[in-house]
Amino acid sequence: DPNYKMLTEKVFVDLTAHEAAEKRAEHGLAERKRAKIFCLVYTIEKYHNRIPPLRETWLQKCDGSMVASTKTDRDLGTVNIPHEGPEEYNNIWQKVRAMWSYIYDNYYEKYDWFHIGGDDLYLLVENLRLYLESEEILLASNGGQLLPDGSEDQMTPLFLGRRFAEGGDRERMFISGGAGYTMNKAGLKALVVDGFPNCFPHMKTFSEDVMVATCFRKMGILPFDTKDEAGGERYMPFQPGHHLTYRPPANPKDDWYSNYSVDVHWGIDHCASKSVAFHYIKEDLQRRMHAILYHHC
């Protein structure tokens, strides 16, 4: 079973570091408060059956969350956010524009980081929070020279996720929408306030991940390299088992995945040990992954 193998022999949730950070924060020993993460999931009414497994597993670990859908359901926590154009796959760009605008208007002040993904995303929230609190990310958010000390009045926009080179072109990097992407407050503000008004405001397309990256690129904000120190990717566009078994063809350009990938390892070392996200995780696998990662079985 490739999924089980990857989740028991490589990927793990760093509960030891998480619990230590929680205790330091609880006893006032931490230099900074723990990062507050808002998780945004998008779906449609047809797939509302996918939401309970998310709420039972990882979604409750976020500091705040919302599920954007085509129908508001208080029990499920779904919210219908109107957008320009029809509700269809080929118009996800307009849906995502409306969602991020709503989040900026209602949640910007309350959270430090914002992660978006579809209803088949599995997020390892403890690993994500530890990564966002790491010196690497703190340094990058403060311009790359000094660690923040709390006196800063500016923040560098950060756009984190699994980098892909569109068509193999490294001048056109974007972040795969599958595992989702993570932005800090400055990134969210730059996207909604500075980017959206003049960045393809009425275009109809499914490639929202390419569009978001294009809007950021116009402002000089590029996808951040989120590999770990061993070169493992933290954000995964497929299931754990796929990343374990996938091998590129002799000519990497013959397969879109190997062509779009940027300086990756293949096999078990493809994934970072403290990965933060996986994609194509449907209901049963949501629960199974959760049970394996948190030692419930």
Side-chain angles (χ1 to χ4, degrees):
D1 178 354
N3 283 323
Y4 183 82
K5 185 177 176 70
M6 183 63 92
L7 295 175
T8 55
E9 296 185 16
K10 183 63 187 283
V11 175
F12 71 99
V13 178
D14 194 350
L15 292 174
T16 301
H18 166 72
E19 288 164 6
E22 287 286 292
K23 286 182 180 177
R24 285 196 301 273
E26 181 184 346
H27 296 292
L29 302 175
E31 290 183 34
R32 302 171 184 85
K33 292 181 180 178
R34 300 224 65 190
K36 294 186 69 175
I37 304 170
F38 188 91
C39 300
L40 177 61
V41 172
Y42 54 87
T43 188
I44 57 176
E45 184 181 1
K46 177 182 176 182
Y47 297 126
H48 276 191
N49 61 301
R50 295 179 180 176
I51 304 308
L54 272 63
R55 293 202 169 280
E56 293 165 21
T57 57
W58 63 266
L59 196 58
Q60 61 184 293
K61 295 173 180 288
C62 303
D63 299 287
S65 66
M66 191 185 81
V67 179
S69 182
T70 51
K71 181 183 178 182
T72 297
D73 184 324
R74 287 176 180 250
D75 293 334
L76 277 178
T78 61
V79 180
N80 177 24
I81 300 179
H83 57 77
E84 180 179 308
E87 181 64 47
E88 62 184 34
Y89 178 70
N90 198 41
N91 197 37
I92 291 180
W93 168 233
Q94 291 300 331
K95 186 182 182 93
V96 166
R97 286 173 59 91
M99 286 161 53
W100 277 132
S101 299
Y102 181 90
I103 296 305
Y104 177 75
D105 288 343
N106 292 279
Y107 298 106
Y108 170 79
E109 297 291 347
K110 300 175 185 175
Y111 299 92
D112 306 309
W113 292 90
F114 303 85
H115 185 89
I116 188 173
D119 55 21
D120 55 354
L121 164 72
Y122 186 93
L123 203 62
L124 288 74
V125 179
E126 290 91 346
N127 287 356
L128 175 60
R129 186 176 284 108
L130 288 166
Y131 177 51
L132 299 177
E133 294 170 346
S134 69
E135 285 197 0
E136 177 189 3
I137 297 302
L138 289 171
L139 195 64
S141 70
N142 197 40
Q145 299 298 318
L146 299 169
L147 287 170
D149 62 12
S151 64
E152 295 76 23
D153 57 6
Q154 287 187 318
M155 179 187 293
T156 301
L158 291 185
F159 178 38
L160 314 177
R162 172 62 186 273
R163 299 184 308 162
F164 276 156
E166 187 180 357
D169 182 358
R170 297 194 180 194
E171 296 299 312
R172 291 188 57 80
M173 294 276 211
F174 70 100
I175 287 180
S176 167
Y181 49 91
T182 313
M183 298 183 289
N184 61 0
K185 291 169 83 84
L188 176 62
K189 185 174 183 178
L191 182 66
V192 175
V193 177
D194 302 324
F196 280 169
N198 302 304
C199 190
F200 309 104
H202 307 295
M203 181 175 282
K204 181 181 172 184
T205 178
F206 66 89
S207 56
E208 60 87 16
D209 47 6
V210 173
M211 302 304 291
V212 167
T214 302
C215 295
F216 272 132
R217 193 182 305 119
K218 289 183 175 203
M219 295 182 282
I221 301 165
L222 301 177
F224 192 82
D225 184 357
T226 54
K227 292 186 185 73
D228 71 2
E229 59 278 2
E233 294 282 1
R234 285 184 166 93
Y235 292 75
M236 299 296 135
F238 298 107
Q239 295 180 4
H242 178 279
H243 294 294
L244 177 67
T245 60
Y246 176 83
R247 297 296 183 275
N251 181 0
K253 292 186 178 181
D254 289 342
D255 183 70
W256 78 266
Y257 182 52
S258 52
N259 188 33
Y260 278 45
S261 292
V262 181
D263 301 329
V264 299
H265 301 307
W266 302 113
I268 198 162
D269 291 329
H270 183 76
C271 298
S273 59
K274 300 174 190 175
S275 292
V276 303
F278 289 92
H279 185 216
Y280 293 120
I281 312 300
K282 300 293 173 61
E283 299 94 304
D284 288 346
L285 189 52
Q286 287 273 350
R287 295 184 174 102
R288 183 165 184 255
M289 278 186 62
H290 197 72
I292 294 169
L293 288 166
Y294 293 90
H295 313 296
H296 297 159
C297 65

